[in-house]
């Protein structure tokens, strides 16, 4: 039973987004985008700015301190459970239940403390006391892990038959802990002695340090270059500003923005490389310590994920590169690019809507609510309740955490939603995505006990991407003009590029850097850039003349925070595949498909994600779902090209 607080998020990854949930997790600079004219105007134009209320977690920081002090005592006492009541041949069902409930209650409280610490820290990343509070709860979780490291070996020593007898003898033991016990027994061959388990658990704080260093360096201390755009406007290239300015319709400005932004990261290539290498080395060390053949095997084992799923994803993505290349050629044509298509040409909108519509937070609520009508009254009721509450921090401000995520680890409270809303369509799409995580959390917590509520990223991201797809289809169907329809079609195609192809590209790179370490090779920042360049050039078709990638941008790996969450990103790609099948089924079959989807969300973590998905009707180890996604992609391109040709004929 591990004491980790996680958050699910989308754009901390796509920029990178766990499951992180997710367990992403997820996604400070000393200057945030609200120092620019555009984002200041955006925040002012919004109908309202939401700030979350953390009093549901703890009334004051002092209340947190008191709870922390009390929980430290409880955590210190966990080791005593090894003898009273203990887990041995004389253990009764009541004894085992008491032990597991005591540990679970501490875990539950650690997660609540961790949620407050994380959220409070992300309100202002410059505020050192909040960061220290976050580190304290990480250390507390590691202490609790260390003092309960004996539990898994003790359960395994009982044997499957005895555990089954105990579970059958106590309904509470079955209701809350049957899956945990099953999973613990499954892990026998990779479980060490109690002493060794304690040592590995004590290393939990060390394991968290590369990500802590990344956050501090990337968000707060990395120098941000300033560039002057063709309009004469000067912008400082924080991550949020970069994401806005890379969409510029002026190609020369896009190049300036890419050169300036990645120039900062390139100057710290060695530091980021050393930091990420230490993360990879720890992943490999932990895999070897637990007697796995490699880090990928170790990563898949935790959720009992068949290796065929990972292999099928990579194989199908590579087999589908002609579809990606078709899209990139379409992009080149739509943008009117002469010469080589460049990496900085990936982000501008292919088509501008007829009028710039402001999707402020209230408009985003209304449109998202309408788009999600196919998900039914139960889903919409939970969404409505969450939107009416103070669970969301909606807009960017100085030193606030960038990106977007949902943190739902405080089981007894409710999920919290972090956004950096910019009143545009992408922000509305992110809004729908993150509230998909929030409703998923509410559904799982409503049905499952704490011990079975936490779901995997493999399922989590499908739940949120379905919201994006329903929103996209709603916008296409209700577009007022041909240009608007083209705009939303283009956004849907781009979503597949970034979530399927881009995340699978990340996954291939992630596997490659782990294999370097596993082969005993050094892993420097320069080497990481070489590995990244090789994968990126293959995906974007440099050899086929599709796109030319400037080597200066191959330091992009340093900017992707999700590489610090282990093998994580590949599940975004599988998730959009599952989401596409679910969306199509819900739209065609109606309530029957919707109910399968809602049942999947309510299942939480009551079983492994692969069988849960299969029960819902989708097998991710087979090519069919991936082929279906490419069919959707080509259908979107067909419609886009038809409308483009129609426009030319009119002229």
């Amino acid at each position: 039973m591990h004491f980790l607080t996680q958050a699910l998020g989308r754009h901390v990854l796509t920029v990178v987004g766990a499951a992180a949930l997710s367990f992403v997790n997820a996604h400070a600079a000393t200057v945030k985008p609200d120092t620019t004219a555009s984002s200041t105007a955006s925040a002012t134009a919004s109908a309202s700015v939401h700030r979350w209320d953390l009093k549901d977690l703890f009334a004051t920081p002092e209340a947190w301190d008191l709870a922390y002090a009390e929980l430290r005592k409880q955590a210190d006492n966990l080791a005593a459970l090894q003898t009273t009541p203990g887990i041995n041949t004389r253990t009764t069902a009541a004894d085992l239940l008491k032990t597991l409930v005591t540990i679970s209650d501490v875990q539950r409280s650690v997660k609540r403390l961790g949620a407050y610490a994380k959220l409070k820290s992300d309100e202002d990343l410059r505020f050192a006391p909040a960061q220290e509070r976050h580190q304290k709860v990480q250390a507390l979780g590691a202490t609790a892990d260390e003092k309960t490291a004996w539990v898994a070996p003790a359960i395994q020593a009982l044997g499957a038959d005895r555990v089954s007898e105990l579970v059958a003898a106590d309904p509470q033991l079955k209701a809350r802990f049957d899956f945990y016990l099953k999973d613990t027994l499954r892990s026998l061959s990779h479980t060490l002695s109690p002493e060794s388990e304690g040592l590995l658990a004590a290393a939990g704080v060390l394991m968290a340090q590369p990500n802590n260093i990344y956050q501090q360096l990337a968000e707060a201390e990395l120098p941000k270059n300033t560039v002057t755009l063709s309009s004469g406007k000067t912008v400082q290239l924080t991550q949020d500003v970069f994401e806005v300015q890379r969409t510029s319709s002026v190609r020369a400005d896009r190049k300036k923005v890419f050169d300036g932004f990645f120039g900062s990261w390139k100057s710290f290539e060695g530091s980021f490389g050393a930091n990420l290498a230490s993360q990879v080395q720890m992943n490999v060390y932990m895999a070897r310590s637990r007697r796995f053949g490699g880090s990928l095997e170790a990563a898949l084992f935790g959720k009992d994920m068949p290796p065929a799923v990972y292999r099928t994803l990579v194989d199908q993505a590579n087999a589908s590169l002609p579809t990606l290349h078709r899209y990139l050629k379409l992009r080149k044509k739509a943008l009117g690019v002469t010469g080589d298509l460049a990496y900085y040409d990936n982000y501008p909108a292919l088509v501008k809507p007829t009028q710039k519509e402001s999707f402020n937070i209230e408009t985003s609520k209304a449109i998202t609510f309408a788009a999600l009508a196919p998900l039914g009254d139960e889903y919409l009721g939970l969404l409505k309740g969450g939107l009416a509450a103070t669970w969301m921090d909606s807009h960017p401000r100085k030193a606030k955490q960038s990106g977007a995520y949902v943190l739902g680890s405080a089981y007894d409270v409710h999920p919290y939603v972090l956004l950096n809303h910019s009143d545009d369509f992408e922000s509305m799409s992110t809004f729908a995505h993150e509230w998909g995580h929030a409703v998923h959390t509410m559904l799982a917590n409503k049905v499952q006990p704490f011990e079975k509520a936490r779901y995997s990223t493999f399922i989590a991201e499908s739940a949120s991407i379905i919201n994006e797809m329903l929103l996209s289809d709603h916008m296409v169907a209700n577009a007022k003009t041909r240009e608007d329809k083209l705009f939303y079609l283009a956004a849907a195609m781009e979503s597949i590029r970034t979530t399927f192809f881009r995340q699978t590209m990340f996954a291939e790179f992630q596997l490659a850097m782990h294999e370097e370490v596993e082969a005993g090779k050094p892993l420097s920042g320069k080497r990481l850039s070489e590995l990244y360049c090789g994968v990126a050039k293959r995906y974007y078709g440099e050899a086929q003349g599709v796109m030319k990638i400037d080597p200066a941008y191959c330091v992009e790996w340093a900017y992707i925070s999700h590489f610090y969450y282990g093998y994580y990103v590949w599940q975004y790609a599988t998730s959009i595949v599952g989401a596409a099948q679910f969306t199509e089924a819900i739209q065609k079959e109606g309530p029957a498909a919707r109910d399968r989807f809602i049942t999947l969300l309510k299942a939480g973590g009551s079983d492994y994600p692969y069988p849960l998905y299969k029960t819902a009707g989708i097998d991710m180890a087979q090519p069919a779902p991936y082929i279906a996604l490419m069919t959707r992609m080509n259908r979107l391109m067909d419609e886009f090209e038809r409308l483009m040709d129609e426009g030319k004929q009119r002229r």
Side-chain angles (χ1 to χ4, degrees):
M1 303 178 76
H2 299 288
F3 293 75
L4 300 176
T5 299
Q6 296 173 313
L8 287 175
R10 166 193 184 186
H11 286 251
V12 182
L13 163 65
T14 56
V15 286
V16 188
L21 219 80
S22 16
F23 305 137
V24 181
N25 271 200
H27 321 41
T30 53
V31 180
K32 280 300 193 188
D34 60 347
T35 59
T36 69
S38 61
S39 39
T40 301
S42 171
T44 304
S46 291
S48 60
V49 175
H50 293 255
R51 294 291 297 271
W52 55 39
D53 186 350
L54 302 185
K55 290 187 176 64
D56 289 346
L57 291 166
F58 294 97
T60 63
E62 292 73 24
W64 187 95
D65 291 338
L66 290 172
Y68 171 80
E70 177 60 29
L71 195 59
R72 278 195 64 181
K73 297 176 185 177
Q74 295 177 31
D76 287 339
N77 291 332
L78 288 175
L81 294 172
Q82 189 168 4
T83 55
T84 308
I87 299 176
N88 50 57
T89 55
R90 298 183 302 276
T91 295
T92 66
D95 290 337
L96 183 56
L97 178 64
K98 179 180 179 181
T99 297
L100 296 183
V101 166
T102 302
I103 295 171
S104 181
D105 287 348
V106 172
Q107 182 183 30
R108 202 160 165 167
S109 297
V110 168
K111 287 183 176 293
R112 186 165 181 161
L113 284 167
Y116 181 90
K118 166 71 174 169
L119 297 168
K120 200 68 178 173
S121 174
D122 287 353
E123 289 178 347
D124 188 341
L125 289 167
R126 302 165 302 179
F127 189 54
Q131 296 175 20
E132 292 166 3
R133 189 181 291 117
H134 194 206
Q135 293 171 11
K136 285 170 67 176
V137 77
Q138 285 180 327
L140 178 59
T143 297
D145 275 346
E146 181 181 359
K147 292 184 180 298
T148 58
W150 58 272
V151 174
I155 290 171
Q156 291 162 351
L158 290 176
D161 291 342
R162 180 56 180 155
V163 169
S164 295
E165 291 174 4
L166 294 172
V167 169
D170 193 308
Q172 278 295 309
L173 196 58
K174 178 177 177 59
R176 295 177 62 177
F177 297 104
D178 60 343
F179 182 67
Y180 164 73
L181 292 167
K182 170 187 173 183
D183 193 47
T184 300
L185 291 169
R186 185 181 68 91
S187 304
L188 175 61
S189 61
H190 301 290
T191 301
L192 310 181
S193 68
E195 294 78 11
S196 296
E197 286 292 335
L199 288 173
L200 290 184
V205 173
L206 297 177
M207 291 289 292
Q209 293 316 302
N211 182 45
N212 290 340
I213 293 169
Y214 169 84
Q215 293 292 338
Q216 186 66 26
L217 183 58
E219 297 284 358
E221 297 178 2
L222 180 71
K224 309 299 190 297
N225 285 332
T226 298
V227 298
T228 301
L229 304 176
S230 58
S231 64
K233 176 182 175 181
T234 298
V235 296
Q236 186 179 40
L237 295 173
T238 64
Q239 292 191 30
D240 287 324
V241 171
F242 168 69
E243 289 183 47
V244 171
Q245 296 300 332
R246 69 186 179 182
T247 67
S248 172
S249 60
V250 180
R251 197 174 189 225
D253 284 348
R254 297 199 296 273
K255 185 177 188 307
K256 275 189 178 181
V257 166
F258 263 66
D259 289 347
F261 183 76
F262 286 114
S264 291
W265 295 84
K266 185 69 175 178
S267 64
F268 280 74
E269 180 183 54
S271 297
F272 281 111
N275 191 47
L276 185 55
S278 68
Q279 178 70 61
V280 174
Q281 288 160 358
M282 283 192 283
N283 293 344
V284 172
Y285 171 78
M286 294 297 285
R288 287 174 175 169
S289 297
R290 294 196 176 280
R291 301 187 289 265
F292 286 103
S295 55
L296 179 61
E297 179 188 344
L300 297 179
F301 181 85
K303 297 298 181 183
D304 198 23
M305 186 64 62
V309 175
Y310 193 95
R311 288 196 295 267
T312 300
L313 166 67
V314 172
D315 290 347
Q316 289 299 312
N318 279 273
S320 301
L321 288 179
T323 298
L324 173 61
H325 296 166
R326 177 192 173 190
Y327 168 68
L328 294 172
K329 292 173 184 177
L330 185 155
R331 169 171 281 279
K332 178 179 180 179
K333 180 179 178 182
L335 293 177
V337 171
T338 57
D340 292 329
L341 193 68
Y343 205 45
Y344 51 77
D345 294 321
N346 275 322
Y347 296 98
L350 299 187
V351 178
K352 295 290 186 182
T354 52
Q355 57 183 7
K356 186 170 178 59
E357 187 173 358
S358 174
F359 296 101
N360 63 45
I361 200 73
E362 299 305 324
T363 301
S364 295
K365 288 181 186 180
I367 294 177
T368 298
F369 200 82
L372 301 186
L375 297 182
D377 292 341
E378 181 180 14
Y379 190 100
L380 294 176
L382 292 173
L383 176 61
K384 183 177 181 180
L387 292 175
T390 52
W391 302 354
M392 176 170 60
D393 193 309
S394 61
H395 283 75
R397 59 181 178 276
K398 185 180 294 185
K400 176 185 168 182
Q401 171 67 55
S402 62
Y405 66 70
V406 168
L407 196 150
S409 55
Y411 178 84
D412 298 298
V413 185
H414 51 72
Y416 282 89
V417 181
L418 181 138
L419 301 172
N420 280 279
H421 204 78
S422 299
D423 295 359
D424 55 14
F425 174 70
E426 183 178 1
S427 292
M428 181 170 68
S429 184
T430 299
F431 172 92
H433 179 108
E434 300 305 340
W435 277 99
H437 287 316
V439 176
H440 188 180
T441 299
M442 287 186 270
L443 285 166
N445 290 358
K446 177 181 176 183
V447 175
Q448 300 297 333
F450 166 73
E451 295 79 13
K452 297 182 181 180
R454 177 173 147 178
Y455 45 87
S456 75
T457 305
F458 192 74
I459 292 173
E461 292 304 319
S462 284
S464 54
I465 294 171
I466 282 174
N467 282 14
E468 289 186 72
M469 288 187 167
L470 288 173
L471 175 65
S472 173
D473 291 348
H474 175 84
M475 299 304 290
V476 169
N478 292 279
K480 298 176 182 177
T481 67
R482 184 184 67 89
E483 288 73 16
D484 285 347
K485 191 181 290 288
L486 283 166
F487 173 80
Y488 297 125
L489 286 167
M493 294 186 294
E494 180 65 2
S495 177
I496 296 175
R497 179 189 75 83
T498 57
T499 310
F500 179 70
F501 289 108
R502 183 168 161 83
Q503 301 309 321
T504 307
M505 183 183 83
F506 288 165
E508 283 207 54
F509 166 73
Q510 192 167 35
L511 179 59
M513 63 181 176
H514 280 81
E515 288 177 340
E516 290 275 300
V517 171
E518 289 168 349
K521 297 178 182 178
L523 198 62
S524 64
K526 180 181 178 182
R527 178 57 180 155
L528 286 167
S529 293
E530 290 173 353
L531 289 172
Y532 193 84
C533 240
V535 178
K537 287 180 178 180
R538 172 159 46 83
Y539 268 71
Y540 286 90
E542 183 165 289
Q544 291 78 21
V546 179
M547 177 180 285
K548 185 77 172 176
I549 298 180
D550 189 330
Y553 307 150
C554 290
V555 74
E556 184 179 42
W557 58 266
Y559 157 62
I560 309 302
S561 66
H562 282 44
F563 291 145
Y564 292 90
Y565 298 109
Y567 285 92
Y568 174 66
V569 295
W570 67 278
Q571 296 171 100
Y572 281 82
T574 53
S575 290
I576 195 171
V577 172
Q581 279 212 308
F582 265 128
T583 300
E584 182 178 9
I586 290 169
Q587 291 171 336
K588 289 184 176 179
E589 300 174 31
R594 177 200 67 204
D595 291 346
R596 292 199 305 273
F597 172 61
I598 299 297
T599 298
L600 175 66
L601 302 190
K602 289 179 177 179
S606 60
D607 199 352
Y608 300 111
Y610 180 67
L612 285 175
Y613 235 123
K614 286 190 72 175
T615 299
I618 299 176
D619 187 348
M620 289 296 194
Q622 298 299 319
Y626 304 89
I627 294 171
L629 179 65
M630 290 304 100
T631 299
R632 176 183 174 92
M633 179 69 161
N634 281 291
R635 184 168 64 244
L636 291 169
M637 287 191 285
D638 290 344
E639 179 67 3
F640 186 91
E641 290 177 332
R642 184 188 68 78
L643 289 171
M644 288 285 286
D645 291 342
E646 181 181 292
K648 290 179 182 178
Q649 292 172 4
R650 288 179 180 177
R651 290 194 296 269

